[in-house]
Amino acid sequence: MNFILAGILATSTALIFFSVPEATARQSGVPYSRQDSLRGSITPEREWWDLTFYHLDIEVNPKRKTISGKNTVHYKVIGQGQTLQIDLQEPMEIIAFRQGGKELSHEREGNAYFVNLDAPQQTGTMQRLEIAFEGEPRVSYNPPWSGGLTWEKDQKGKPFIANANQGDGASLWWPCKDHMYDEPDSMLISVKVPDPLMNVSNGRLREIEKHDDGKTTYHWFVGSPIANYGVNISIADYAHFSEEYLGENGILTLDYYVLKENLAKAKVQFRDVPRLMRAFEYWFGPYPFYKDGFKLIEVPYLGMEHQSAVTYGNGYQQGYKGKDFSETGWGMTFDYIIIHEAAHEWFANNITYRDIADMWIHESFTTYAESLFLDYHYGVNAGNAYLQGARQVIKNDIPIIGDYGVNQRGSGDMYFKGANILHTLRQWIADDDKWRKILRKMNETFYHKTVTSQEIESFLIQETGLPLRSFFDQYLRTAEVPIFEYYWKGKQLYYRWQAAAEGFSMPLKVIQQDKTHLLDPTAEWKSTDILIPNEPIFADPNVYVFPRPIQPPTE
């Protein structure tokens, strides 16, 4: 979700274990803490066991604003270990850890609990750990950019409750293995709420269990791997309507849950959903969660990409809360939250970053999907104009890739700068059919997997056949935009790239008097006489670079 984008608005309107260098200080110079490492790294107490299944079974009390219950963790032993790390953040509290009917001892270090397992943890065996917990979870003061629970009311005064916790962690409200590298293969989410409220979570509604105490438990089953932060509860006195979409993999159910007072508006606004499915299945391949369906759920905050249960709070208006980032008008042809958050089903929920430092994999591709939505429905020029216009919110402040192993994301530029980087790559490929095949193959190759930036970069290098190492180093690992320097001397145009990444090179189209010429600048000066001397030239507007004419050097 666009929790980083808020900062932009404020200023301008099978597991693969790997080691990464641990960062020591943030961009601000403030040192990282032990808690940062416990949260953001694959600790020895995480590494030896592989998640297979969660059963989160809780009761939500709207009056007390509390959550209580248990999470049963199923896992496979894949290495040597007798101590297991579980995460839960204050003020939530663990009541007990149990395995084999026996209560276990543990040590706590901040938000990390280290559970001492009595039974032998033999490699290859399947084990189960039951975690009882309760508490009053942190309230989000600015959802979804600050993590926590949101406890609001609808127009009739009934509770209207939801969670949002990307970045801060799912362990804000339920105990789990709170690192992105390991996802359960499936999950059961059972939530008990007072009548007439209902809970809507990920996956498909398996059972509605009525109780004698005036409460109901809703059991939702997720049949696909799911990231911790994608697990959600949305609680209200909802109205429900649905439709079916005939997609690439057959019939896809589309379910909508909205406040009753907004039912009529939702039936109009949510017409964007079939439209986005057509566009994104064309560009990215089949929707990744046919078995779990697709839901759009009204919540009391802007929205979030919860897997198969996308949340919505854009006020039933076009654009981003009525704003067009591009100021071209194209951003007002769709509901930003519906299109952006649903695109995350491909990039975030299907292809998931292993470390939040690589969050660009989620946000760059998803923001770029907005342009591809316009491209599909309104033509390539619409998508081009949208991305060019949105460059005004790019800050070029710090690198897009953050620090590894400490739960630290990079620049908010991963949204629109990231989208423009991908658009620049599309121009270099210069074959839209090939580009589309690459995007589709990416979703097939990394289907339901967690990945690193290096894996995505290597994939793109392989599939494009282009020398992209310095391209990615420049755009992702520095904050600088490549500068196309040039000057005239006689009939010759002299030109080069001024860039931070060593060996950066990329072809560039330049336009002069409605004619397009392809140049091949590198870090070294080159010259050409194919252009009209001293006539203005313009860089391809679809390539995100900064042209800079300079004075000829004196002899």
Side-chain angles (χ1 to χ4, degrees):
M1 172 47 201
N2 313 290
F3 57 89
I4 297 178
L5 205 51
I8 298 174
L9 283 172
T11 57
S12 64
T13 54
L15 302 173
I16 301 173
F17 297 111
F18 66 104
S19 61
V20 293
E22 183 172 316
T24 58
R26 308 172 196 272
Q27 293 287 338
S28 63
V30 178
Y32 287 108
S33 69
R34 166 74 171 162
Q35 284 296 303
D36 293 324
S37 295
L38 288 176
R39 171 75 174 84
S41 64
I42 303 174
T43 63
E45 293 80 11
R46 284 172 169 161
E47 187 173 10
W48 63 267
W49 56 286
D50 177 23
L51 276 172
T52 60
F53 179 75
Y54 283 132
H55 181 193
L56 180 61
D57 186 2
I58 62 174
E59 179 174 352
V60 177
N61 188 319
K63 290 184 178 180
R64 296 181 178 179
K65 297 183 179 179
T66 60
I67 294 175
S68 60
K70 63 182 180 179
N71 183 27
T72 304
V73 181
H74 297 244
Y75 63 93
K76 182 178 181 180
V77 180
I78 58 174
Q80 298 297 315
Q82 284 294 134
T83 304
L84 177 151
Q85 180 180 339
I86 291 292
D87 306 287
L88 184 66
Q89 299 180 38
E90 293 181 335
M92 299 298 289
E93 296 182 350
I94 299 289
I95 298 172
F97 295 100
R98 299 184 182 93
Q99 188 169 68
K102 182 179 180 181
E103 190 165 326
L104 304 174
S105 66
H106 69 272
E107 287 79 42
R108 180 179 178 183
E109 187 175 350
N111 298 323
Y113 291 75
F114 297 96
V115 187
N116 302 311
L117 305 172
D118 292 339
Q121 305 292 302
Q122 296 179 351
T123 302
T125 61
M126 304 300 296
Q127 304 286 345
R128 185 171 67 181
L129 176 71
E130 183 180 294
I131 310 165
F133 70 103
E134 65 182 8
E136 185 177 334
R138 184 194 309 172
V139 175
S140 175
Y141 63 87
N142 185 28
W145 302 287
S146 70
L149 270 286
T150 301
W151 309 84
E152 298 291 342
K153 303 282 187 180
D154 65 14
Q155 289 183 1
K156 295 183 179 180
K158 295 178 181 179
F160 187 24
I161 303 164
N163 72 284
N165 44 249
Q166 186 181 16
D168 293 301
S171 56
L172 279 171
W173 62 280
W174 61 286
C176 57
K177 186 180 192 178
D178 206 358
H179 192 287
M180 295 291 288
Y181 88 100
D182 194 5
E183 299 179 340
D185 303 321
S186 57
M187 184 170 182
L188 180 61
I189 306 167
S190 302
V191 182
K192 186 177 182 180
V193 294
D195 298 331
L197 304 179
M198 76 172 299
N199 171 70
V200 184
S201 288
N202 316 81
R204 294 193 182 275
L205 185 59
R206 173 174 280 186
E207 181 185 0
I208 299 176
E209 182 183 1
K210 292 287 186 179
H211 304 285
D212 295 336
D213 59 356
K215 299 176 182 178
T216 301
T217 299
Y218 294 86
H219 300 273
W220 294 86
F221 180 74
V222 184
S224 308
I226 183 169
N228 288 330
Y229 88 85
V231 176
N232 80 301
I233 53 174
S234 299
I235 300 168
D237 183 17
Y238 282 121
H240 170 239
F241 65 103
S242 64
E243 60 183 321
E244 292 183 338
Y245 174 77
L246 181 58
E248 290 193 18
N249 282 355
I251 296 296
L252 173 64
T253 55
L254 308 176
D255 287 279
Y256 310 112
Y257 295 85
V258 300
L259 295 182
K260 292 177 178 178
E261 59 260 30
N262 293 328
L263 181 59
K265 289 188 289 187
K267 287 185 175 181
V268 174
Q269 195 73 5
F270 290 3
R271 291 173 184 170
D272 264 351
V273 174
R275 297 177 71 222
L276 72 86
M277 287 296 173
R278 287 195 297 274
F280 294 158
E281 286 208 329
Y282 172 83
W283 282 106
F284 306 139
Y287 173 72
F289 305 103
Y290 270 75
K291 69 169 63 176
D292 294 323
F294 176 87
K295 294 187 293 297
L296 193 59
I297 310 161
E298 185 174 3
V299 292
Y301 63 86
L302 191 59
M304 193 69 196
E305 69 261 24
H306 299 122
Q307 182 174 309
S308 73
V310 171
T311 52
Y312 173 83
N314 199 38
Y316 299 97
Q317 57 189 325
Q318 300 295 82
Y320 180 95
K321 298 193 290 187
K323 173 185 172 60
D324 174 9
F325 287 115
S326 73
E327 298 186 358
T328 62
W330 287 114
M332 300 303 291
T333 63
F334 60 91
D335 187 313
Y336 180 94
I337 293 301
I338 295 176
I339 302 306
H340 181 92
E341 304 308 338
H344 273 308
E345 295 280 42
W346 284 263
F347 297 98
N349 300 336
N350 184 38
I351 304 174
T352 308
Y353 60 69
R354 192 169 298 155
D355 188 300
I356 200 172
D358 290 332
M359 190 175 167
W360 79 274
I361 299 168
H362 292 198
E363 300 301 349
S364 298
F365 281 94
T366 296
T367 305
Y368 183 55
E370 300 161 26
S371 169
L372 295 181
F373 173 85
L374 290 169
D375 188 311
Y376 180 87
H377 287 290
Y378 302 102
V380 65
N381 290 335
N384 291 349
Y386 179 75
L387 286 181
Q388 293 169 28
R391 289 174 185 169
Q392 63 186 315
V393 303
I394 297 173
K395 298 165 67 176
N396 293 312
D397 51 356
I398 60 174
I400 285 175
I401 289 181
D403 294 328
Y404 291 98
V406 286
N407 195 45
Q408 180 66 34
R409 54 186 176 261
S411 172
D413 280 348
M414 70 179 74
Y415 291 85
F416 281 109
K417 182 177 180 179
N420 273 282
I421 292 167
L422 294 173
H423 197 52
T424 296
L425 178 56
R426 178 183 181 179
Q427 312 315 308
W428 191 351
I429 295 169
D431 183 338
D432 282 354
D433 185 57
K434 181 177 181 178
W435 181 225
R436 175 180 170 235
K437 289 178 180 177
I438 289 171
L439 294 173
R440 290 174 64 92
K441 186 173 181 179
M442 181 184 298
N443 275 276
E444 179 182 353
T445 301
F446 301 108
Y447 181 73
H448 291 179
K449 292 182 179 179
T450 61
V451 300
T452 66
S453 183
Q454 291 288 356
E455 288 175 301
I456 296 299
E457 293 170 46
S458 295
F459 172 85
L460 290 172
I461 291 169
Q462 175 67 34
E463 295 302 317
T464 62
L466 299 175
L468 299 176
R469 288 294 179 195
S470 62
F471 175 89
F472 289 124
D473 285 344
Q474 176 68 37
Y475 280 110
L476 300 178
R477 297 178 177 87
T478 81
E480 299 179 27
V481 178
I483 297 171
F484 176 67
E485 288 189 331
Y486 64 94
Y487 65 87
W488 293 98
K489 186 175 182 181
K491 295 183 178 181
Q492 298 285 322
L493 175 73
Y494 289 80
Y495 59 92
R496 71 171 182 182
W497 286 120
Q498 182 69 30
E502 183 178 354
F504 178 83
S505 64
M506 177 177 66
L508 178 68
K509 292 178 181 178
V510 296
I511 303 164
Q512 186 185 63
Q513 294 188 350
D514 296 326
K515 291 184 178 180
T516 300
H517 305 271
L518 182 64
L519 303 181
D520 188 25
T522 65
E524 304 299 324
W525 285 107
K526 292 185 176 182
S527 66
T528 182
D529 60 1
I530 63 173
L531 292 101
I532 302 172
N534 299 308
E535 284 292 313
I537 61 174
F538 303 92
D540 181 354
N542 290 307
V543 175
Y544 188 53
V545 298
F546 291 161
R548 184 169 70 188
I550 64 173
Q551 293 296 320
T554 57
E555 296 182 359

